[in-house]
Coordinates of all heavy atoms in Angstrom, one line a residue:
A918 N -38.0 9.1 -52.1 CA -38.2 7.8 -52.7 C -39.4 7.1 -52.3 O -40.1 7.7 -51.5 CB -37.0 6.8 -52.5
S919 N -39.8 6.1 -52.9 CA -41.0 5.4 -52.5 C -40.7 4.7 -51.1 O -39.8 4.0 -51.1 CB -41.4 4.3 -53.6 OG -42.5 3.6 -53.2
A920 N -41.6 5.0 -50.1 CA -41.2 4.4 -48.8 C -42.5 3.9 -48.1 O -43.6 4.4 -48.4 CB -40.6 5.5 -47.9
V921 N -42.3 2.9 -47.3 CA -43.4 2.3 -46.6 C -43.0 2.1 -45.1 O -41.8 1.6 -44.8 CB -43.8 0.9 -47.2 CG1 -44.7 0.1 -46.3 CG2 -44.4 1.1 -48.5
R922 N -43.8 2.4 -44.2 CA -43.6 2.0 -42.7 C -44.3 0.8 -42.4 O -45.5 0.6 -42.7 CB -44.0 3.2 -41.9 CG -43.8 2.9 -40.3 CD -44.2 4.0 -39.4 NE -43.7 5.4 -39.9 CZ -42.5 5.8 -39.8 NH1 -41.5 5.1 -39.1 NH2 -42.1 7.0 -40.2
L923 N -43.5 -0.2 -42.0 CA -44.1 -1.6 -41.5 C -44.0 -1.7 -40.1 O -43.0 -1.7 -39.4 CB -43.3 -2.6 -42.3 CG -43.7 -4.1 -41.9 CD1 -45.2 -4.4 -42.3 CD2 -42.8 -5.0 -42.7
T924 N -45.2 -1.8 -39.4 CA -45.3 -2.0 -38.0 C -45.7 -3.4 -37.7 O -46.7 -3.8 -38.2 CB -46.3 -1.0 -37.3 OG1 -45.9 0.4 -37.6 CG2 -46.3 -1.1 -35.8
L925 N -44.8 -4.2 -37.0 CA -45.2 -5.5 -36.6 C -45.3 -5.7 -35.2 O -44.6 -5.1 -34.3 CB -44.1 -6.4 -37.1 CG -43.7 -6.4 -38.6 CD1 -42.5 -7.1 -38.9 CD2 -44.9 -7.0 -39.4
N926 N -46.3 -6.6 -34.8 CA -46.5 -6.8 -33.3 C -46.6 -8.3 -33.0 O -47.5 -8.9 -33.8 CB -47.8 -6.1 -32.8 CG -47.9 -6.1 -31.3 OD1 -47.0 -6.5 -30.6 ND2 -49.0 -5.6 -30.9
G927 N -45.9 -8.8 -32.1 CA -46.1 -10.3 -31.7 C -45.4 -11.2 -32.8 O -45.9 -12.3 -33.0
V928 N -44.3 -10.8 -33.4 CA -43.6 -11.6 -34.3 C -42.4 -12.1 -33.6 O -41.7 -11.6 -32.9 CB -43.3 -10.9 -35.6 CG1 -44.5 -10.4 -36.3 CG2 -42.4 -9.7 -35.4
S929 N -42.0 -13.4 -34.1 CA -40.7 -14.0 -33.6 C -39.6 -13.4 -34.4 O -39.8 -12.9 -35.4 CB -40.8 -15.6 -33.6 OG -40.7 -15.9 -35.0
M930 N -38.4 -13.6 -33.8 CA -37.2 -13.1 -34.6 C -37.1 -13.9 -35.9 O -36.7 -13.4 -36.9 CB -36.0 -13.3 -33.7 CG -34.7 -12.9 -34.3 SD -34.7 -11.1 -34.7 CE -34.3 -10.4 -33.1
E931 N -37.4 -15.2 -35.9 CA -37.3 -16.0 -37.1 C -38.2 -15.5 -38.1 O -37.9 -15.4 -39.3 CB -37.6 -17.5 -36.7 CG -37.4 -18.4 -37.9 CD -37.7 -19.9 -37.5 OE1 -37.5 -20.2 -36.3 OE2 -38.1 -20.5 -38.5
E932 N -39.5 -15.2 -37.8 CA -40.5 -14.6 -38.7 C -40.0 -13.2 -39.2 O -40.1 -13.0 -40.4 CB -41.8 -14.3 -38.0 CG -42.6 -15.6 -37.7 CD -43.8 -15.4 -36.9 OE1 -43.7 -14.6 -36.0 OE2 -44.8 -16.0 -37.3
L933 N -39.4 -12.5 -38.4 CA -38.9 -11.1 -38.8 C -37.8 -11.3 -39.9 O -37.8 -10.7 -40.9 CB -38.4 -10.3 -37.6 CG -37.8 -8.9 -38.0 CD1 -38.9 -8.0 -38.7 CD2 -37.3 -8.3 -36.7
V934 N -36.9 -12.2 -39.6 CA -35.8 -12.5 -40.5 C -36.3 -13.1 -41.9 O -35.9 -12.7 -42.9 CB -34.8 -13.4 -39.8 CG1 -33.7 -13.9 -40.9 CG2 -34.0 -12.7 -38.7
D935 N -37.3 -14.0 -41.7 CA -37.9 -14.6 -42.9 C -38.5 -13.5 -43.8 O -38.4 -13.5 -45.1 CB -38.9 -15.7 -42.6 CG -38.2 -17.0 -42.1 OD1 -37.0 -17.1 -42.3 OD2 -38.9 -17.7 -41.5
L936 N -39.2 -12.6 -43.2 CA -39.9 -11.4 -43.8 C -38.8 -10.6 -44.6 O -39.0 -10.3 -45.7 CB -40.7 -10.6 -42.9 CG -41.4 -9.4 -43.5 CD1 -42.4 -9.8 -44.6 CD2 -42.0 -8.5 -42.4
L937 N -37.8 -10.2 -43.8 CA -36.8 -9.3 -44.4 C -36.1 -10.0 -45.5 O -35.7 -9.4 -46.5 CB -35.9 -8.8 -43.3 CG -36.5 -7.8 -42.3 CD1 -35.5 -7.6 -41.3 CD2 -36.9 -6.6 -42.9
Y938 N -35.7 -11.3 -45.3 CA -35.1 -12.0 -46.4 C -36.0 -12.2 -47.6 O -35.6 -12.0 -48.8 CB -34.8 -13.5 -45.9 CG -34.1 -14.3 -47.0 CD1 -32.8 -14.1 -47.3 CD2 -34.8 -15.3 -47.7 CE1 -32.2 -14.8 -48.3 CE2 -34.2 -16.0 -48.7 CZ -32.9 -15.8 -49.1 OH -32.4 -16.5 -50.1
G939 N -37.3 -12.3 -47.4 CA -38.3 -12.4 -48.6 C -38.3 -11.1 -49.4 O -38.4 -11.1 -50.5
I940 N -38.2 -10.0 -48.6 CA -38.3 -8.7 -49.2 C -37.0 -8.5 -50.0 O -37.1 -8.0 -51.2 CB -38.6 -7.6 -48.1 CG1 -39.9 -7.7 -47.6 CG2 -38.3 -6.2 -48.7 CD1 -40.2 -6.9 -46.4
Q941 N -35.8 -8.8 -49.4 CA -34.6 -8.5 -50.0 C -34.3 -9.4 -51.2 O -33.7 -9.0 -52.2 CB -33.5 -8.6 -49.0 CG -33.4 -7.6 -48.0 CD -33.2 -6.2 -48.5 OE1 -32.2 -6.1 -49.3 NE2 -33.9 -5.2 -48.0
S942 N -34.7 -10.8 -51.1 CA -34.3 -11.7 -52.1 C -35.2 -11.5 -53.4 O -34.8 -12.1 -54.4 CB -34.5 -13.1 -51.5 OG -35.8 -13.3 -51.2
A943 N -36.2 -10.8 -53.3 CA -37.1 -10.6 -54.5 C -36.3 -9.8 -55.5 O -36.8 -9.7 -56.7 CB -38.3 -9.8 -54.1
D944 N -35.1 -9.2 -55.3 CA -34.3 -8.5 -56.2 C -35.1 -7.3 -56.8 O -35.0 -7.1 -58.1 CB -33.8 -9.4 -57.3 CG -32.5 -8.8 -58.0 OD1 -31.9 -7.9 -57.4 OD2 -32.3 -9.2 -59.1
K945 N -35.9 -6.6 -56.0 CA -36.7 -5.4 -56.5 C -36.0 -4.2 -55.9 O -36.6 -3.1 -56.1 CB -38.1 -5.5 -56.1 CG -38.9 -6.7 -56.6 CD -39.0 -6.7 -58.1 CE -39.8 -7.9 -58.6 NZ -39.9 -8.0 -60.0
L946 N -34.9 -4.3 -55.4 CA -34.1 -3.1 -54.8 C -34.9 -2.4 -53.7 O -35.1 -1.2 -53.7 CB -34.0 -2.1 -56.0 CG -32.8 -1.1 -55.8 CD1 -31.5 -1.9 -55.7 CD2 -32.7 -0.1 -57.0
V947 N -35.3 -3.2 -52.8 CA -36.0 -2.6 -51.6 C -35.0 -2.7 -50.5 O -34.3 -3.7 -50.3 CB -37.2 -3.5 -51.2 CG1 -37.9 -2.9 -49.9 CG2 -38.2 -3.4 -52.3
V948 N -34.8 -1.6 -49.8 CA -33.9 -1.4 -48.8 C -34.4 -1.1 -47.4 O -35.4 -0.2 -47.2 CB -32.8 -0.3 -49.1 CG1 -31.8 0.0 -48.0 CG2 -32.2 -0.5 -50.4
L949 N -34.0 -1.7 -46.4 CA -34.4 -1.5 -45.0 C -33.7 -0.2 -44.6 O -32.5 -0.2 -44.4 CB -34.1 -2.7 -44.1 CG -34.4 -2.4 -42.5 CD1 -35.9 -2.1 -42.3 CD2 -33.9 -3.5 -41.7
H950 N -34.5 0.8 -44.6 CA -33.8 2.2 -44.3 C -33.6 2.5 -42.8 O -32.6 3.0 -42.5 CB -34.6 3.2 -45.0 CG -34.3 4.7 -44.7 ND1 -33.1 5.1 -45.2 CD2 -34.9 5.7 -44.0 CE1 -32.9 6.4 -44.9 NE2 -34.0 6.7 -44.1
E951 N -34.6 2.1 -42.0 CA -34.7 2.5 -40.7 C -35.3 1.5 -39.8 O -36.5 1.0 -40.2 CB -35.2 3.9 -40.6 CG -35.1 4.5 -39.2 CD -35.6 5.9 -39.2 OE1 -36.4 6.3 -40.1 OE2 -35.3 6.7 -38.2
V952 N -34.8 1.2 -38.6 CA -35.6 0.5 -37.7 C -35.7 1.4 -36.5 O -34.9 1.8 -35.7 CB -34.9 -0.8 -37.2 CG1 -35.6 -1.5 -36.1 CG2 -34.5 -1.7 -38.3
T953 N -37.0 1.9 -36.4 CA -37.2 3.0 -35.3 C -37.6 2.4 -34.0 O -37.5 3.1 -33.0 CB -38.3 4.0 -35.8 OG1 -39.5 3.3 -36.1 CG2 -37.9 4.7 -37.0
H954 N -38.0 1.1 -34.0 CA -38.6 0.6 -32.7 C -38.3 -0.9 -32.8 O -38.9 -1.5 -33.9 CB -40.0 1.0 -32.6 CG -40.7 0.4 -31.5 ND1 -40.5 0.9 -30.2 CD2 -41.6 -0.6 -31.3 CE1 -41.2 0.2 -29.2 NE2 -41.9 -0.7 -30.0
L955 N -37.7 -1.5 -31.9 CA -37.6 -3.0 -31.8 C -37.4 -3.4 -30.4 O -36.4 -3.1 -29.7 CB -36.3 -3.5 -32.6 CG -36.0 -5.0 -32.6 CD1 -37.1 -5.7 -33.3 CD2 -34.8 -5.3 -33.4
Q956 N -38.4 -4.1 -29.8 CA -38.3 -4.5 -28.4 C -39.4 -5.6 -28.2 O -40.2 -5.9 -29.1 CB -38.7 -3.3 -27.5 CG -40.2 -2.8 -27.6 CD -40.4 -1.6 -26.8 OE1 -39.5 -0.8 -26.4 NE2 -41.6 -1.4 -26.3
P957 N -39.3 -6.3 -27.1 CA -40.3 -7.4 -26.8 C -41.7 -6.7 -26.7 O -41.8 -5.6 -26.2 CB -39.8 -7.9 -25.4 CG -38.4 -7.5 -25.3 CD -38.3 -6.2 -26.0
S958 N -42.7 -7.4 -27.2 CA -44.0 -7.0 -27.1 C -44.5 -6.9 -25.6 O -44.0 -7.6 -24.8 CB -45.0 -7.8 -28.0 OG -45.1 -9.1 -27.5
K959 N -45.5 -6.1 -25.4 CA -46.0 -5.8 -24.1 C -46.7 -7.1 -23.5 O -46.6 -7.3 -22.3 CB -47.0 -4.7 -24.0 CG -46.3 -3.4 -24.4 CD -47.2 -2.2 -24.4 CE -46.7 -0.9 -24.5 NZ -46.2 -0.6 -25.9
D960 N -47.2 -7.9 -24.3 CA -47.9 -9.2 -23.9 C -46.9 -10.4 -23.7 O -47.3 -11.4 -23.3 CB -49.1 -9.5 -24.8 CG -48.6 -9.9 -26.2 OD1 -47.4 -9.9 -26.4 OD2 -49.5 -10.1 -27.0

């Protein structure tokens, strides 16, 4: 399928949720397939 890897650095949990909500609410049938890495940033 059409797939995109999105790497985020230094984002808050609220920003991440807002981003995912914005992607999902667009009703374009985009699915979060995998979260390969989620941890506090090094800084």
Side-chain angles (χ1 to χ4, degrees):
S919 180
V921 168
R922 181 174 312 279
L923 176 61
T924 304
L925 301 170
N926 191 7
V928 296
S929 69
M930 183 61 80
E931 185 178 332
E932 289 175 316
L933 178 61
V934 170
D935 287 345
L936 174 65
L937 293 174
Y938 179 76
I940 291 169
Q941 293 290 318
S942 65
D944 201 24
K945 299 294 185 185
L946 200 62
V947 178
V948 178
L949 176 61
H950 176 67
E951 185 177 21
V952 178
T953 57
H954 178 76
L955 179 62
Q956 67 183 27
S958 64
K959 291 179 177 83
D960 61 6

